[in-house]
Amino acid sequence: MPASSMGLPRTPTGFVSEQQRGYVATPGALEQIPVGSSQEQVLLVLGTPSTVATVDGEVFYYISQKAKKVMFLRPEIIDQRVLAVYFDPKDKRVTRIADYGLKDGKVFDFVSRTTPTGGQELSILGQFLNATQFNPTL
């Protein structure tokens, strides 16, 4: 056993806690809404979105944030995600799903493994993912 651990467990204790805020996807949820699904099916599977936008059609955004807090120190954000479900403006059917997060400081889609190009959508995602200042007393 390494001397630095002093025999103490390395699992989270009362001194360290993780907080999950926002949307938490259930396992297998995304498989239940393939491309072509209706808005109603998305709402049944994923629930009410955190916010809705109209950028070249309607988009449901499900926003989540995970933070680690050590005792009385300010929480440190360890993960942020934005699940985006895009709909065709005409028939309100799913055209694609993206799971955005930050990778190497850039917005990254963990589903298609790509970085979105510039434009209004990237600006909206950047605002979601860069809004890391929050009040820990909420």
Side-chain angles (χ1 to χ4, degrees):
M1 181 175 290
S4 63
S5 71
M6 295 186 280
L8 299 174
R10 294 186 158 261
T11 57
T13 64
F15 299 112
V16 179
S17 65
E18 283 190 5
Q19 300 171 336
Q20 177 73 44
R21 293 192 170 132
Y23 178 74
V24 179
T26 57
L30 293 181
E31 289 79 28
Q32 296 179 38
I33 50 169
V35 171
S37 299
S38 67
Q39 271 189 350
E40 293 79 19
Q41 185 174 354
V42 172
L43 289 170
L44 283 172
V45 173
L46 300 179
T48 304
S50 304
T51 189
V52 177
T54 53
V55 179
D56 297 328
E58 199 164 15
V59 185
F60 286 1
Y61 292 108
Y62 296 86
I63 305 167
S64 69
Q65 184 180 73
K66 188 183 289 186
K68 179 174 77 171
K69 183 173 173 137
V70 179
M71 292 269 304
F72 53 85
L73 299 176
R74 185 179 184 152
E76 172 190 352
I77 295 171
I78 55 177
D79 189 28
Q80 293 185 109
R81 292 293 178 100
V82 176
L83 177 64
V85 181
Y86 297 87
F87 297 96
D88 183 286
K90 295 176 186 152
D91 65 3
K92 305 289 187 197
R93 298 250 173 218
V94 174
T95 57
R96 73 182 179 102
I97 298 172
D99 181 13
Y100 296 108
L102 293 177
K103 182 176 180 182
D104 302 326
K106 295 183 181 179
V107 176
F108 184 77
D109 179 1
F110 288 89
V111 174
S112 67
R113 303 238 179 253
T114 59
T115 301
T117 56
Q120 188 175 2
E121 179 188 10
L122 184 58
S123 174
I124 291 170
L125 292 170
Q127 288 174 12
F128 288 146
L129 293 170
N130 289 327
T132 59
Q133 301 298 321
F134 64 95
N135 186 349
T137 60
L138 294 179

